[in-house]
Amino acid sequence: MKRLFATLVALTALLFFGSLVTGPAGFTPIESIKALLSSDQSPITMVMQEIRLPRAILGLAIGAGLGIAGAAMQGYLRNPLADPGLIGVSASAALGAVLAIQTGFAAAWALGLPISALSGAAAGVLIVMLLSGPQGSTLTLILAGIAVSALAGALTTLVLNLSPNPFAANEIVFWTMGSLADRSMTHVWLAVPFIAVGALIIASTARGLDALTLGEDAAAAMGVRPARIRLALILGTAAIVGAGTAVAGSIGFIGLVVPHILRRFVQARPSALLWASGLGGAAMLLAADIAVRIILPSKDLKLGVLTALVGSPLFLHLIYRTKRQGL
Amino acid sequence: MQISKIINLASALTLVGAVAHADAPSRVVSINLCTDQLAMLIADDDQLISVSKLAADPRSSAMAEQAADLIPNSALAEEIYLLDPDLILAGTFSSRATVSMLERLGIPVILFDPAYSLDDVRDRMIQMGDALQQPDRAAELIAEYDASLAAYRAEITERPRAALYYQNGYTSGDSTLAGQILATAGFDNIAEDAGYPYGGFMPLELLALNNPDAIITGTPYPGASRSDEILDHPVVDHLRDRLPQAVFTDRDWVCGTPYVLRAIEDTAQLRRTMTGATE
């Protein structure tokens, strides 16, 4: 377990550094780090401190958040297909964010954007959990997720098409695929506190999630209250996904892929899977964000394209296995 | 109506092109924002009956007031046919379906290429003068236009470096109308150094690294969007803060009409303040 922790921390740190030194403006890693720590007003300092640092921080925080949220939902629903992106939580968060931007709520109040996205995410996760029930049968979970995704996506598209702004309609792809391009420190301050609080709330459910693996009754006998866990999970997931989506659009599959890969290293213990998925999610999003800058530096390739390329085959594989088990 | 006819007749009699003038098109409809404005500048009273809806929108049209007196059209073949025009003016990129439909219905259509340079603007004015059979009016406008351009080009002593930066990080290079406006106003365009001679999406990083002396951004549109957000990024703010005044690309930059002179004047004013040059 210690080795896993050390490996994941090292990998994440390496990718964080990689994210800082990757970009269309080519200067050496040493120059980059010097500029990052300097306080002059030179162009390189501007690039490092105002463009690349916020991008790397957001990649780290949002990736970690999505990993934790995915692991927690899979633990609670005892279903490996639960992922905030797949079951419509990200799509509802995007709808909340788009509404806040288009109504001017986001401009009127600094916290308007994350709060609105968070409310959208909370509504999405609440609907899915109510529809699928605490047992989380695969069929109802996926069906509820599809319905919520489709509705939120359609409403987002409608709002953007109604906008008088000629650029709004082109932004549908950002809200469905996600991107970290050209973010600033303002976005970091908007998103990271919410993600941190959400992660802490979810961490508080760790012991309960472990107990739940023994079944609902055994967990209740151990003093675990599933209703309390569910509330914490809804709030925590909404805070993480809402804040992340508000500044980077919906990024799918991280919450699905990462817990799946790491589960066997932590002997399938949900509490250990939480922190492991946090680190793994950060590493995966940072890697994806480096890749979009290397593959198509000038085109602002969306993050969702890469995470889906990795995630979809795995998703299909999971469904195939679920089917074989006769569920 | 009566008076203008008399004046027309009087001028026609004194001119060589008197015969051509007599059967000049009298019910002209324009369906493109840029041909709208050129036509309004050059057409005779009552010669032009309808312009596109956009021409009356002050955000995109430099001649919104004049356009308010004309019938607005949405560039749909049906409504245009009902106006019973004897000439249609359209852009080469505008509504291909409408244009071919109108041609099939037997109405003459004259297509105008978009202007990519200040020389193109002059060519379009000549073309419009010929289309409307008002070559003298066009020649008058062109003479003024050439004189103003020469004056702007003569006054430049020092060329600061500037960037044109629009929503989503789009920039325009020297081979575009906006780039030419910028160059004539006395700025070197960093898009050239950054490798975007025609323009394109320039990452914020490259903008910061090329460190222009001045930045000219797109006009924010109503109804917020994420695309506008980049224009408020700290890097752009930082570049803008160093300038004595903010300059936006607006309706004067959109079309190849003599109004580009106004865009050049605004931009040249920025350069004069920056370099301490006097007019």
Side-chain angles (χ1 to χ4, degrees):
Chain A
M1 201 79 87
K2 264 193 189 134
R3 247 181 52 203
L4 175 70
F5 183 74
T7 313
L8 284 174
V9 167
L11 181 67
T12 308
L14 189 73
L15 287 165
F16 185 80
F17 178 75
S19 177
L20 282 176
V21 298
T22 311
F27 27 75
T28 65
I30 296 163
E31 274 179 307
S32 310
I33 300 308
K34 261 194 206 149
L36 192 61
L37 303 172
S38 98
S39 59
D40 62 5
Q41 292 278 303
S42 75
I44 301 190
T45 312
M46 289 296 287
V47 168
M48 290 309 298
Q49 294 179 353
E50 298 290 349
I51 300 173
R52 295 217 191 145
L53 185 62
R55 184 167 191 160
I57 293 177
L58 284 174
L60 182 81
I62 294 173
L66 290 174
I68 292 173
M73 294 190 85
Q74 293 178 15
Y76 175 76
L77 295 167
R78 275 152 287 160
N79 187 323
L81 297 179
D83 163 67
L86 284 175
I87 62 172
V89 183
S90 297
S92 357
L95 176 62
V98 167
L99 281 174
I101 291 176
Q102 293 300 326
T103 56
F105 184 46
W109 184 40
L111 289 178
L113 180 66
I115 295 281
S116 180
L118 197 152
S119 316
V125 72
L126 193 68
I127 293 172
V128 171
M129 281 204 173
L130 286 180
L131 285 176
S132 69
Q135 299 301 325
S137 116
T138 304
L139 187 67
T140 47
L141 179 74
I142 295 301
L143 286 181
I146 290 172
V148 170
S149 287
L151 181 66
L155 289 175
T156 304
T157 308
L158 177 68
V159 171
L160 289 175
N161 275 322
L162 288 176
S163 166
N165 190 302
F167 296 100
N170 292 329
E171 283 161 17
I172 294 164
V173 62
F174 165 82
W175 292 111
T176 50
M177 283 300 188
S179 165
L180 284 171
D182 299 334
R183 310 282 76 193
S184 67
M185 274 298 171
T186 321
H187 298 110
V188 173
W189 292 121
L190 277 183
V192 173
F194 284 102
I195 295 176
V197 169
L200 285 178
I201 294 175
I202 289 185
S204 75
T205 66
R207 213 183 60 83
L209 289 177
D210 279 350
L212 270 178
T213 53
L214 304 171
E216 211 102 337
D217 297 335
M222 290 167 73
V224 173
R225 300 214 313 271
R228 205 199 71 85
I229 293 186
R230 172 153 60 175
L231 181 68
L233 221 58
I234 291 174
L235 288 177
T237 309
I240 288 173
V241 179
T245 306
V247 299
S250 15
I251 302 164
F253 290 106
I254 288 185
L256 176 84
V257 173
V258 173
H260 179 73
I261 294 173
L262 295 174
R263 188 165 285 120
R264 70 185 105 151
F265 295 109
V266 296
Q267 285 81 46
R269 246 183 61 215
S271 58
L273 190 60
L274 283 183
W275 62 254
S277 295
L279 287 168
M284 179 170 170
L285 187 54
L286 285 168
D289 190 38
I290 293 173
V292 296
R293 277 179 281 177
I294 292 175
I295 297 172
L296 275 178
S298 58
K299 287 276 162 75
D300 187 23
L301 182 63
K302 302 295 179 226
L303 285 169
V305 176
L306 281 176
T307 55
L309 281 178
V310 179
S312 301
L314 182 77
F315 186 58
L316 292 173
H317 169 72
L318 281 176
I319 291 183
Y320 177 70
R321 249 191 19 196
T322 315
K323 205 179 105 194
R324 254 201 340 202
Q325 284 163 3
L327 289 172
Chain B
M1 177 93 182
Q2 215 51 41
I3 296 171
S4 72
K5 266 192 178 162
I6 294 167
I7 295 173
N8 266 348
L9 190 65
S11 60
L13 286 173
T14 60
L15 290 170
V16 191
V19 180
H21 201 124
D23 45 47
S26 60
R27 293 186 63 81
V28 179
V29 172
S30 165
I31 61 169
N32 170 285
L33 175 65
C34 296
T35 56
D36 290 343
Q37 298 181 55
L38 281 175
M40 284 189 275
L41 283 168
I42 293 174
D44 211 345
D45 290 350
D46 301 328
Q47 202 180 4
L48 185 65
I49 55 169
S50 170
V51 290
S52 75
K53 266 185 186 154
L54 268 181
D57 180 353
R59 281 196 304 264
S60 45
S61 165
M63 300 182 73
E65 275 174 39
Q66 291 92 318
D69 298 334
L70 299 166
I71 304 166
N73 70 62
S74 318
L76 298 172
E78 190 175 309
E79 61 168 332
I80 292 164
Y81 187 70
L82 291 176
L83 289 170
D84 186 26
D86 57 6
L87 177 66
I88 313 275
L89 305 170
T92 43
F93 288 120
S94 60
S95 327
R96 295 299 310 167
T98 309
V99 167
S100 51
M101 168 72 82
L102 290 166
E103 279 172 339
R104 276 204 300 280
L105 292 170
I107 307 169
V109 180
I110 297 182
L111 294 178
F112 288 74
D113 281 316
Y116 296 112
S117 70
L118 295 174
D119 286 341
D120 284 356
V121 176
R122 187 195 297 105
D123 294 346
R124 296 306 164 266
M125 286 193 269
I126 296 172
Q127 192 189 355
M128 185 58 81
D130 293 344
L132 299 173
Q133 299 190 22
Q134 307 282 359
D136 310 307
R137 290 187 185 219
E140 226 171 274
L141 280 177
I142 291 166
E144 277 173 49
Y145 175 76
D146 284 343
S148 305
L149 282 187
Y152 283 117
R153 285 179 177 136
E155 73 168 63
I156 299 164
T157 48
E158 197 181 326
R159 299 181 68 89
R161 298 165 69 247
L164 291 164
Y165 213 53
Y166 311 115
Q167 280 82 355
N168 281 327
Y170 196 84
T171 187
S172 291
D174 282 347
S175 309
T176 63
L177 184 63
Q180 296 255 309
I181 291 172
L182 189 69
T184 310
F187 284 98
D188 281 333
N189 192 345
I190 67 151
E192 207 72 22
D193 301 335
Y196 299 91
Y198 294 94
F201 294 99
M202 178 166 66
L204 204 47
E205 282 189 15
L206 291 183
L207 176 73
L209 264 198
N210 279 288
N211 199 24
D213 303 316
I215 183 161
I216 294 165
T217 50
T219 321
Y221 283 89
S225 80
R226 245 196 101 256
S227 312
D228 288 305
E229 228 179 35
I230 194 170
L231 303 179
D232 292 324
H233 193 280
V235 167
V236 178
D237 267 347
H238 173 76
L239 290 171
R240 209 186 279 138
D241 281 349
R242 302 192 301 206
L243 292 178
Q245 74 229 44
V247 176
F248 295 105
T249 59
D250 56 8
R251 56 203 185 159
D252 295 334
W253 295 67
V254 177
C255 277
T257 68
Y259 286 98
V260 296
L261 293 172
R262 266 203 324 220
I264 296 176
E265 172 57 29
D266 290 345
T267 318
Q269 195 55 47
L270 173 71
R271 177 186 48 82
R272 292 180 199 126
T273 324
M274 283 173 69
T275 59
T278 48
E279 266 185 71

